[in-house]
Amino acid sequence: MTRAYNQLYLEDAMNNLGTMLDCAANVAHLDLAVFYEMFLSSGIAAQMEAGNPRFVSGMSGMELMRLVMEKSSDKTLPEITYIPFDRTAEYWAGWALAYYQWHSALSFSYLQRNGLNISTVLSLYPTLHEADLSKFVQTADTLIQQHLNTRRNILKTIRKQSRFTQKQLADLTGVALRMIQAYEQGDQDIRKAEARSVLALSKVLGCAPEVICG
């Protein structure tokens, strides 16, 4: 697997992301879920994923936090000092996420969308913070796969709840039977389906289009 930056810089990236989240939650007293969304939308997450040395190891966690706020909010933070006494749950969450992103080469946004959001990572702290990182990797892999499997099965679940066979649903919606089968089996991504197909399915199944798309 090709990774965006050399392992020599990984420790810096892990420490900086951990410090950034620790500062945001425990020094600036920001809502961490909201701040993490800012991190994703600010472009800084993408820069770290790409291995930009300025963001991976050239800035401190405090500087990263301030830059996220500058890019994503009009809120001005007062001068604050970061004195780490111990690794907090928030620090561990950023530390572990930075490692997993590097290890998997998946984007932070992809992880957020597919079962590994910051709240979920924080919930793993009590059981995993003293374990080897390989245990976190295994757990993260499992959570993402479970999420993907659930999303693939949403159409199947709603169809069965509505007591339609695949063929009946195809006849009622005009969506080809083979496509419905492919969506349910995960061979095709329903989020990439034509809008009229998604609308037809949602109308017959009595749910919002975004529910079918997971």
Side-chain angles (χ1 to χ4, degrees), residues 100 106-117 120 140-149 151 191 214:
Y100 188 73
L106 299 169
S107 71
F108 289 108
S109 292
Y110 180 91
L111 302 182
Q112 173 86 344
R113 292 194 308 269
N114 291 289
L116 205 64
N117 60 44
T120 298
D141 286 344
T142 299
L143 288 170
I144 290 171
Q145 191 57 54
Q146 288 174 342
H147 181 87
L148 292 173
N149 289 340
R151 193 176 69 196
R191 293 174 302 169

Side-chain angles (χ1 to χ4, degrees), residues 25-176:
N26 300 307
V27 180
H29 304 294
L30 303 171
D31 183 300
L32 196 60
V34 173
F35 175 80
Y36 193 73
E37 288 285 358
M38 292 180 181
F39 167 64
L40 298 179
S41 64
S42 67
I44 296 171
Q47 292 292 336
M48 293 190 74
E49 294 157 8
N52 186 324
R54 179 191 175 204
F55 297 93
V56 170
S57 60
M59 301 177 70
S60 70
M62 176 69 82
E63 289 171 331
L64 285 173
M65 181 199 72
R66 285 192 172 279
L67 189 57
V68 168
M69 294 299 294
E70 287 173 12
K71 288 181 173 291
S72 304
S73 170
D74 56 3
K75 182 177 180 179
T76 301
L77 294 176
E79 287 299 321
I80 49 181
T81 302
Y82 176 67
I83 305 175
F85 293 103
D86 199 2
R87 288 189 173 185
T88 64
E90 292 80 10
Y91 177 92
W92 177 84
W95 182 80
L97 269 170
Y99 179 83
Y100 188 73
Q101 189 282 316
W102 176 85
H103 173 83
S104 65
L106 299 169
S107 71
F108 289 108
S109 292
Y110 180 91
L111 302 182
Q112 173 86 344
R113 292 194 308 269
N114 291 289
L116 205 64
N117 60 44
I118 191 63
S119 298
T120 298
V121 177
L122 282 170
S123 73
L124 299 175
Y125 174 79
T127 54
L128 294 182
H129 75 282
E130 293 183 347
D132 187 84
L133 267 173
S134 62
K135 185 65 176 176
F136 176 78
V137 169
Q138 293 171 3
T139 303
D141 286 344
T142 299
L143 288 170
I144 290 171
Q145 191 57 54
Q146 288 174 342
H147 181 87
L148 292 173
N149 289 340
T150 299
R151 193 176 69 196
R152 288 173 185 144
N153 290 328
I154 285 176
L155 178 59
K156 182 178 182 179
T157 299
I158 299 174
R159 173 180 62 78
K160 287 194 169 185
Q161 289 173 345
S162 300
R163 300 184 182 279
F164 292 129
T165 65
Q166 289 178 331
K167 186 175 186 310
Q168 287 172 331
L169 186 59
D171 291 341
L172 288 167
T173 60
V175 178

